[in-house]
Structure formats: C-alpha cells, structure tokens
Amino acid sequence: MSSHEELQLIKNGIRTDGRRMDELRPIEAAAGVLQKAEGSAMFRMGNTIAMAGVFGPRRVFPKHQEEAERAILRTRYNMAPFATTERGRPGISRRSQEISMVTRQALKSVLFLDEFPKTAIDVHIEVLQADASTRCCGINAAALALADAGIPMKDLIASCSAGKVQGQVVLDVAGKEDTEGELDLPIAYYPKKKKITLLQMDGIADKQEVKEIIALAVKGCEKIYEAQKAALKKRFALEGLAEV
Amino acid sequence: MSEERKLVIPGDFLGEGHAGSGAYEETAGKVFSKVIGLAEEKGGMHFVIPLSGIYNPKRGDGVVARIQDIIVSKWLVDINSPYEGVLPLSEATEEFIDFTKSDMTKYFNYGDLIFAEILSVTKTKNIQLSMRNRKCRKLRAGRVITVTPAKVPRIIGKQGSMVEMIKDITNTQIVVGQNGIVWVKGDNDDIAIEAVLEIERKSHVSGLTDHIKSMLEKKMKSSGREFKPSKARESEGNEQNQEFQHDEGVEFNEA
C-alpha cells in the first residue's frame, strides 16, 4: 500500500497527464463514420476510443424476441483484443455482458421505441482503444449513432466518469488513476431532464463524497453533451444549408 | 416553399404549439424535435423532415415493391422496410378474379416488381397496399436501384421537376418510390441511374437541378447518343411520376 504514496498521482493540483481536477480529457466526436450501418459514430476521450454502429429498425430474429407494440433494443459492447496493453481474450465475457446491459438501460429511456413495433434496433459498440471509462465512451458513441440513424429520441445521452484519487475528487478518471485510484464512478446523464440513467461505483466513499463525485460527473456530462451536439450538427450541416 | 428551414437534432426546442411528425410535446405545449432533420412550422404545428433513417410506411405513399409470396388470396410484398406489405386480391385489379379457379401468378408472379399505393397502416404496422390508383402498375423489365429513403424528395424535386428532367433528357421511364427504390427503363438507363446516384450523393448542394442538367447533357453528348433539347418534347406520353399527396401537412413530393 505504501506504493500509492510513491506514485504521486496528483502534484500541486495537477494530475499525471497534466489535467486539473475538474478537467476532461480531449474529446473528439464524429457521426456517420461507417458505410453499411444505418447510423454510426466514433467517440474519443483521451486514449479511449469507441465506435458504435446502429442497425435497424429491422425484423427480429429469433422471432420469439419480437414485441408487438414496440421495438426491442439490443446492445453489444465489445472490447477489441488489441484495445489494452496486454492482449485481451476475444469474445463475450462476464464484464462485456454486464456493460451491454447497463448501456441498453442507459439509452432506453430517451428512445421512442413504440414507433417501430415488431422490430429490433441493434447497437454495436466496439472499443478500439481502452484507457478507462470505456463504457462512458461507448454510451456517448451509441447515443450519437442512434441519432445519426434517424431513430426518434427525446434527447441524447451523455456519459462520463468521476472518481477519487488520493482523497481528492477528480473528473474523468484515466490511466493510472483508474487502476491505482480509490474510486471510479461512471454515470450516464439525460441532459434535458437532468436525470441520471446509469450509475455504477467501484470503490469506497462516504455519502458526502459520493454526492460531490456525482455532481462533478454531471458537470462533465454537460460538456460532453455539447461536443455530441456539435458533432451531429457538423455531420448534417451541409444538408441543412441546402435550399430546398 | 423556400422558407428557411433550420437544422435540428433530437432534443432541440422547436417552439410552442403542437407536435407533428418528427416532433414531440413535452409539457404544456412545448415542442421538441425527436429526429435529426429540418424543422418546419405550419399554423402552430411543428414538423421535422428527417435527414436519415429507414423507410417508415405512411398512408398514401407510392412505393416500388417486389412480390415475395402468395397466401390464399393475398400477395405479400417487400417494400424495403421492416414491415411486409399485403396486397389483397380485391385491391389488385378492377376485374373480378376467383382465386379458387384462376392461378394468381398470372397477375403478379413471385419476384415481380410493382408500383403500389399504401392504403392503410395500422398501429401494429400491418400494411395494406392497393393497385387501384391509376398510377399503380406492374413494372416490367428495367433496372432497379436503392437510395436512402430520406433523399427521395430531392430525387423527385419540386412537383416532380427533377425526375421529369432526367426522364426528358435521357428519354427513359423512371418511377421513384417513397421507399427509396427507383425503377429505370430505357436505352439510356445507365446515364439516368448515374444522375439519380449523383443526386443522392450531392443532395445537400444548392443549384442541384442545374448541375444535374449539365451533367446529363454532357454525358449524352460525349457518348454520342441522340437527345432532343429539353423544350422539344413536351407532350409525349411520359409515364406518371408525381407522388401521392399526403393527408397530413407535410408534402414529401415538394421538398
């Protein structure tokens, strides 16, 4: 445990990668990056890169999954074997199944699934490069891809994490902070309604700290929401300008 | 219809009033967009014309469809959407057909292409087609291409101006379905198809009609094909193409 002290993740209010406590990693977002998908997006937060593709609404196979009054949302989160420094085992894991499920639940609340009864909307999230907060990055990309696919939705979903490192509350946990820090708390946020659609926590903190961390994560989500909106508008800006 | 249209994304505030297609009402008359598209307002109703997405069938749409199956007295038809269209015998022809005595493939066989009108769409998306409109018919021979359904209004143009121009210059028959399937027949179909794909690619460019016109004329000349200058052939028996009108406010054929 003494190695924690030696690592010195925070020095004079500056973190290992030169960020302040409430600063996000550099964000890059783009929509419409895949040809064959109805909608797609790429989202990058520092060294974490996720791609999402949306297929459908399309017919449901196997048919017993079909619902008569609404579309079903299926999500698949997958981390590429080359995404981490040590090669990961390809295929479905307990972790990826869990993240697929929480992603689905995080996105579901903004979608008008009843507009496409008897269909399935498939969201595939592929993490190409992992450096903490991959599920947040995946959700951000997925929300963009869903909007790009023309799926009716109330709002976008923004997601980011906050945590506790050496007793201090930090935004957007990355790299060493994730593995050596005390706490990591990813959230997904529904900006229009100011509601949280995903909240997970890995670590120990008291009530006051958790409140602080959530408040900081929400602030981060609002910044991410702006980046998402800009990316979507950029994708369609040319078409919007066309005189019809 | 050249009032200014604003690009909106899901969650954008459109104004007070009522929600039309592509919009939703949150609390007390506040209307927001639910798709990415171009916002429009007509008498307190807010609409968003989507810029992407699959084909969602609507009553009154004209679609290019393919016969998939025959079940008792109905044809099951692929309309390029997650839902299957149903064409009952009674809606298929004017004449009386006794399906117990006659072979239904005589009228429409498996794989046949038709231009049909969507008669009704239920809440659970049971789609009924009709061939009773005089514009509806079987499409024999020709070539078929698929485009993004959201771009169909650009291909048709104002009151069908774009597609009429392509037909005029290339001397082809073209039928554009609202479902994004385009049927082309004629000697210069290759050039017509190129033009349609060019519209799909450059749907955002302003002055598209002129661009397509010069492109077509250049292509026709360079490949040494005969064509009449656009004014010469007014009253020739060009096939139908104006799309069906919608009951609800938005007219897709004008966009």
Side-chain angles (χ1 to χ4, degrees):
Chain A
M1 276 297 150
S2 60
S3 63
H4 272 217
E5 263 63 51
E6 287 156 31
L7 257 166
Q8 272 267 309
L9 290 167
I10 298 168
K11 230 185 253 172
N12 309 324
I14 299 290
R15 299 199 255 162
T16 43
D17 51 5
R19 285 185 293 154
R20 278 173 281 116
M21 300 306 185
D22 59 349
E23 203 176 329
L24 289 167
R25 287 174 284 176
I27 297 169
E28 195 187 326
V33 291
L34 305 174
Q35 273 230 319
K36 291 285 175 187
E38 254 81 46
S40 58
M42 184 279 295
F43 204 90
R44 184 174 76 88
M45 300 162 84
N47 288 327
T48 301
I49 302 175
M51 285 257 241
V54 171
F55 298 83
R58 59 184 177 186
R59 275 178 212 168
V60 190
F61 294 109
K63 193 136 198 228
H64 67 84
Q65 289 184 347
E66 186 181 286
E67 286 192 34
E69 288 188 302
R70 65 189 65 81
I72 57 165
L73 180 68
R74 295 189 290 205
T75 50
R76 176 178 174 273
Y77 165 98
N78 186 47
M79 195 184 269
F82 53 80
T84 43
T85 33
E86 195 146 315
R87 184 186 143 86
R89 199 183 135 85
I92 300 165
S93 64
R94 189 210 61 79
R95 191 185 106 89
S96 75
Q97 279 191 53
E98 176 203 307
I99 297 177
S100 300
M101 186 200 70
V102 295
T103 303
R104 181 166 64 248
Q105 288 169 349
L107 295 168
K108 219 173 177 178
S109 52
V110 290
L111 297 174
F112 289 91
L113 289 176
D114 52 349
E115 288 201 11
F116 294 98
K118 299 184 199 168
T119 61
I121 299 167
D122 290 317
V123 182
H124 295 263
I125 299 164
E126 206 69 31
V127 176
L128 300 181
Q129 205 169 285
D131 183 26
S133 310
T134 56
R135 72 194 68 189
C136 300
C137 211
I139 290 170
N140 291 334
L144 271 180
L146 282 164
D148 182 41
I151 310 276
M153 55 207 285
K154 288 180 184 155
D155 198 5
L156 299 171
I157 291 283
S159 174
C160 93
S161 70
K164 198 170 79 174
V165 174
Q166 293 180 343
Q168 298 207 54
V169 176
V170 296
L171 181 64
D172 195 9
V173 183
K176 274 257 151 45
E177 296 167 350
D178 186 38
T179 46
E180 314 287 331
E182 292 119 84
L183 182 122
D184 178 19
L185 185 145
I187 68 160
Y189 185 60
Y190 177 175
K192 279 263 137 65
K193 285 242 172 106
K194 299 194 190 303
K195 282 191 173 156
I196 287 168
T197 60
L198 161 86
L199 193 145
Q200 292 183 302
M201 188 170 91
D202 178 17
I204 297 165
D206 62 37
K207 197 174 164 187
Q208 195 50 43
E209 278 174 328
V210 171
K211 275 187 180 168
E212 247 178 77
I213 292 165
I214 291 173
L216 188 63
V218 166
K219 262 193 206 164
C221 286
E222 262 151 17
K223 280 182 198 151
I224 282 167
Y225 181 52
E226 294 305 316
Q228 283 176 310
K229 286 201 287 191
L232 255 189
K233 290 218 159 139
K234 197 178 158 203
R235 153 103 162 102
F236 287 96
L238 285 171
E239 306 195 15
L241 289 172
E243 46 140 275
V244 184
Chain B
M1 271 241 289
S2 48
E3 70 207 65
E4 207 181 305
R5 286 163 171 175
K6 216 180 120 212
L7 176 69
V8 291
I9 60 169
D12 276 0
F13 180 62
L14 297 177
E16 307 265 325
H18 296 284
S21 64
Y24 71 95
E25 215 175 306
E26 189 67 50
T27 40
K30 283 201 162 56
V31 181
F32 298 89
S33 169
K34 66 178 168 188
V35 289
I36 184 151
L38 302 172
E40 208 176 84
E41 198 225 323
K42 261 181 211 161
M45 278 280 255
H46 294 275
F47 301 93
V48 180
I49 300 164
L51 283 173
S52 66
I54 58 144
Y55 174 62
N56 199 13
K58 272 182 209 72
R59 188 159 70 96
D61 278 359
V63 293
V64 176
R66 195 179 287 280
I67 307 288
Q68 266 194 328
D69 204 355
I70 300 172
I71 289 177
V72 196
S73 62
K74 297 179 181 96
W75 283 277
L76 294 186
V77 185
D78 177 18
I79 53 168
N80 191 30
S81 120
Y83 312 107
E84 216 163 44
V86 175
L87 178 65
L89 199 49
S90 58
E91 291 294 339
T93 51
E94 294 287 326
E95 61 190 286
F96 174 78
I97 304 164
D98 186 352
F99 68 87
T100 53
K101 286 181 191 140
S102 60
D103 182 8
M104 282 181 54
T105 58
K106 254 189 359 204
Y107 302 93
F108 299 116
N109 204 347
Y110 299 93
D112 278 356
L113 211 63
I114 56 168
F115 183 65
E117 182 188 2
I118 291 182
L119 195 66
S120 68
V121 180
T122 65
K123 208 180 158 248
T124 48
K125 302 281 176 182
N126 294 315
I127 291 150
Q128 248 207 28
L129 299 173
S130 170
M131 299 286 286
R132 289 195 168 210
N133 193 303
R134 62 175 185 82
K135 292 165 184 167
C136 298
R137 64 188 174 113
K138 195 159 155 181
L139 305 170
R140 288 166 217 273
R143 290 169 73 182
V144 174
I145 51 169
T146 310
V147 297
T148 316
K151 309 257 165 103
V152 166
R154 294 293 279 169
I155 293 165
I156 294 171
K158 269 182 211 162
Q159 265 102 49
S161 59
M162 185 72 91
V163 76
E164 285 302 325
M165 185 193 70
I166 303 175
K167 288 201 288 195
D168 202 39
I169 295 176
T170 59
N171 192 21
T172 49
Q173 296 176 39
I174 304 175
V175 174
V176 186
Q178 289 292 337
N179 56 344
I181 306 226
V182 183
W183 175 85
V184 184
K185 186 183 174 184
D187 291 337
N188 304 316
D189 55 358
D190 52 337
I191 294 176
I193 284 172
E194 248 176 82
V196 170
L197 294 176
E198 177 79 358
I199 298 169
E200 192 197 9
R201 263 195 309 274
K202 299 209 171 151
S203 61
H204 54 275
V205 176
S206 57
L208 188 63
T209 317
D210 294 333
H211 169 70
I212 296 295
K213 191 176 177 179
S214 65
M215 176 197 143
L216 280 170
E217 285 176 351
K218 216 163 79 191
K219 282 248 155 77
M220 291 293 280
K221 261 185 210 149
S222 67
S223 56
R225 280 178 250 202
E226 230 176 86
F227 77 98
K228 290 175 235 172
S230 40
K231 22 186 168 38
R233 24 188 340 274
E234 270 299 81
S235 55
E236 259 173 73
N238 253 339
E239 291 294 324
Q240 42 74 40
N241 201 262
Q242 311 276 309
E243 292 309 315
F244 300 100
Q245 294 275 312
H246 277 260
D247 301 283
E248 308 117 64
V250 191
E251 280 150 28
F252 287 79
N253 50 347
E254 284 187 23

